[in-house]
Amino acid sequence: MSEVVPTALAALERSLDRRLVAALEVCARCGICAESCHVYASDPAPGHVPAARAEAVRTIYRRQHDPLGKVFPWLAGAKDLTEPALDALVETAFASCTLCRRCTINCPLGVDTALIMRAARSMLTATGKAPEMLVMLADAAIARGEHADEFREIYREIVASLEEEAQEKTGDPMLRIPPGQRGGRHPLRRALRRAHHLARGDPLPRGRGELDAQHVRGQQLRPLPGRPD
Amino acid sequence: MTAVWTIVLVASGVVAAAGVGLRLRWLLGRPCRPERSRVAGSPGRGVLYAFTWGMMPWAKESTRIHLLAYLRGIVFHAGIAAGFLGLTLSPWAPGMPAAVRWLIVAVALIGALAGWAGLVARVVERSLRTVSTPDDLFSVALVSAFLSTAAAAWWDPRWSAAFFIAGAATLIAIPLTKIRHCIYFVFSRYFFGLFYGRRGVVGGVQHE
């Protein structure tokens, strides 16, 4: 028997902390999270609903830890992990989820689907199925002992070049991408408004190692003079 | 309520409590990993937001889009509260004021309708059908039946036996089926508040 499946299950087991267990157990599969996902907004396939994405891990978890899933897997929606299922999980965990956590903010229960996808990524990395480039980058950062925060200056330079590019593309010389600074229009908000229904004051993901975009505050969203936002 | 029904319901309640206890023990036995992100806000205010303003239907894009589905859920859960209140008060039902009786009937009945509507939505809507498991359908049907019989029994006591059977089945199903999400809801919202409060995403924190 291949070692892949036991290795993946062991990785899932190591990931199972309180937050992950709560995220795996609490989902009511109401589907309300669908439109909050960028991927679903651009390609509204049922498989792109965050709840459906997380089900790929939940089915495995239920088979391992849910009493009903052990006895009546068909009723609980539990499945044994197989290598083809792991292969399918690569697309789900690495390509169709960016871990942006918009679905978590928009979930009435606060289901942390990104955390579940991170567990899936751990399983895939442990079994050598993660995209090679990502593994190399992560290994290099770990080998050099570099924290994401140490790339802050490089990040600012990249954002500055993106700012110029965005100004050219939109024809808006006033467009600013101000990481960690007051003022300017929220670039993430601008992008999101194309696909989502945002209201003033809606929280947007922000955090070190995630999206370091300016937090949405009323005064920061005020349109610049003469240019409606 | 006869002694037999009392024994059945109390036994079901004990099974439910034991099952919930075991699940909580397993959850709390898992490690609680420390947060490593830089503190940019207040975890406490984040938790407060998670259980208050963050629960409001206008606070999220998803609930603004799916307002009817959200309200259906709220009504359903209010019905569940009425159903269990009705089950608890059953021994004293004959002496209950009419206002209490009709309140339980009304809230349980509307909750039942919301539940059955949710079940239909799970079958009819493509996305919901995709994400639903057999357990979802079973659990929603069971709880909707419980609420239907609750309304019927408080309207006409001849339905009491059906109500007690549905009540006992629902109690036993709590730790075993999808109904258990009620246990994890508090933890999930708490972790949500901690996570986003610390990062200053929620909780009304001013940023640099």
Side-chain angles (χ1 to χ4, degrees):
Chain A
M1 185 187 163
S2 163
E3 281 300 302
V4 169
V5 169
T7 305
L9 290 176
L12 176 62
E13 198 61 35
R14 282 194 301 275
S15 301
L16 281 176
D17 62 3
R18 289 181 197 172
R19 274 178 59 203
L20 181 59
V21 170
L24 287 165
E25 292 278 8
V26 79
C27 181
R29 289 168 290 286
C30 64
I32 275 181
C33 54
E35 288 82 1
S36 64
C37 176
H38 314 305
V39 178
Y40 182 89
S42 62
D43 179 11
H48 289 160
V49 176
R53 201 174 285 139
E55 276 298 293
V57 179
R58 281 201 185 95
T59 53
I60 303 161
Y61 165 80
R62 288 190 201 111
R63 191 72 178 115
Q64 299 297 314
H65 292 289
D66 181 29
L68 197 65
K70 287 178 183 174
V71 183
F72 302 113
W74 57 272
L75 176 62
K79 284 180 189 164
D80 284 314
L81 179 61
T82 59
E83 198 160 347
L86 264 178
D87 291 335
L89 198 56
V90 176
E91 166 77 14
T92 306
F94 283 103
S96 72
C97 179
T98 62
L99 311 192
C100 74
R101 283 195 161 95
R102 279 204 90 236
C103 52
T104 306
I105 285 176
N106 280 284
C107 174
L109 302 175
V111 177
D112 197 340
T113 301
L115 193 64
I116 297 171
M117 288 297 100
R118 210 171 72 179
R121 289 183 177 193
S122 297
M123 294 164 71
L124 295 165
T125 305
T127 51
K129 290 180 183 292
E132 201 176 340
M133 178 59 81
L134 287 178
V135 175
M136 281 169 60
L137 285 169
D139 284 347
I142 291 166
R144 287 190 298 221
E146 287 169 341
H147 183 262
D149 234 26
E150 293 175 25
F151 298 111
R152 183 158 297 276
E153 282 314 307
I154 300 171
Y155 169 70
R156 285 184 196 280
E157 286 168 23
I158 293 170
V159 169
S161 67
L162 281 174
E163 188 177 80
E164 287 173 21
E165 196 178 322
Q167 286 171 353
E168 275 175 32
K169 283 195 173 170
T170 60
D172 180 359
M174 302 294 283
L175 190 146
R176 296 282 180 273
I177 307 180
Q181 295 166 22
R182 278 188 175 277
R185 280 171 236 162
H186 195 298
L188 182 59
R189 186 183 184 86
R190 176 183 280 267
L192 290 174
R193 282 183 78 166
R194 291 182 186 278
H196 301 291
H197 303 266
L198 297 183
R200 194 170 285 258
D202 273 0
L204 294 179
R206 177 186 186 276
R208 310 293 182 242
E210 294 161 17
L211 284 167
D212 192 9
Q214 192 83 319
H215 180 64
V216 179
R217 310 277 334 154
Q219 69 275 19
Q220 291 169 344
L221 290 170
R222 226 173 274 145
L224 292 174
R227 300 209 53 109
D229 191 16
Chain B
M1 181 187 258
T2 64
V4 173
W5 284 123
T6 306
I7 291 167
V8 166
L9 287 170
V10 169
S12 306
V14 169
V15 169
V20 168
L22 284 173
R23 285 203 171 266
L24 284 176
R25 199 177 79 163
W26 194 76
L27 172 73
L28 297 174
R30 304 307 300 183
C32 189
R33 296 203 169 93
E35 277 281 350
R36 299 190 195 283
S37 66
R38 188 185 294 169
V39 179
S42 160
R45 291 184 72 170
V47 172
L48 185 66
Y49 171 90
F51 285 102
T52 53
W53 192 256
M55 294 295 295
M56 297 298 116
W58 55 82
K60 292 183 279 289
E61 176 198 27
S62 56
T63 46
R64 289 194 295 268
I65 294 174
H66 296 283
L67 188 60
L68 271 181
Y70 182 77
L71 292 178
R72 190 176 66 213
I74 296 289
V75 169
F76 183 46
H77 287 84
I80 293 168
F84 279 113
L85 181 68
L87 200 60
T88 310
L89 295 179
S90 287
W92 304 279
M96 279 288 153
V100 174
R101 208 166 66 234
W102 288 115
L103 186 68
I104 291 174
V105 168
V107 180
L109 182 63
I110 296 169
L113 291 174
W116 293 119
L119 194 65
V120 170
R122 281 196 182 272
V123 175
V124 172
E125 288 180 24
R126 189 164 156 251
S127 289
L128 268 180
R129 198 168 55 235
T130 305
V131 297
S132 296
T133 64
D135 178 21
D136 292 331
L137 303 175
F138 169 78
S139 298
V140 176
L142 175 63
V143 175
S144 300
F146 168 57
L147 298 187
S148 302
T149 55
W154 276 80
W155 178 297
D156 182 346
R158 282 177 296 181
W159 284 90
S160 292
F163 177 41
F164 297 149
I165 291 169
T170 305
L171 281 169
I172 293 168
I174 289 175
L176 292 173
T177 66
K178 168 256 189 74
I179 305 172
R180 68 178 177 271
H181 73 267
C182 62
I183 309 167
Y184 297 96
F185 165 78
V186 177
F187 293 93
S188 181
R189 291 301 291 177
Y190 174 73
F191 291 136
F192 168 88
L194 275 188
F195 183 87
Y196 284 115
R198 181 185 174 95
R199 284 160 174 76
V201 175
V202 299
V205 179
Q206 292 288 338
H207 293 286
E208 55 193 302

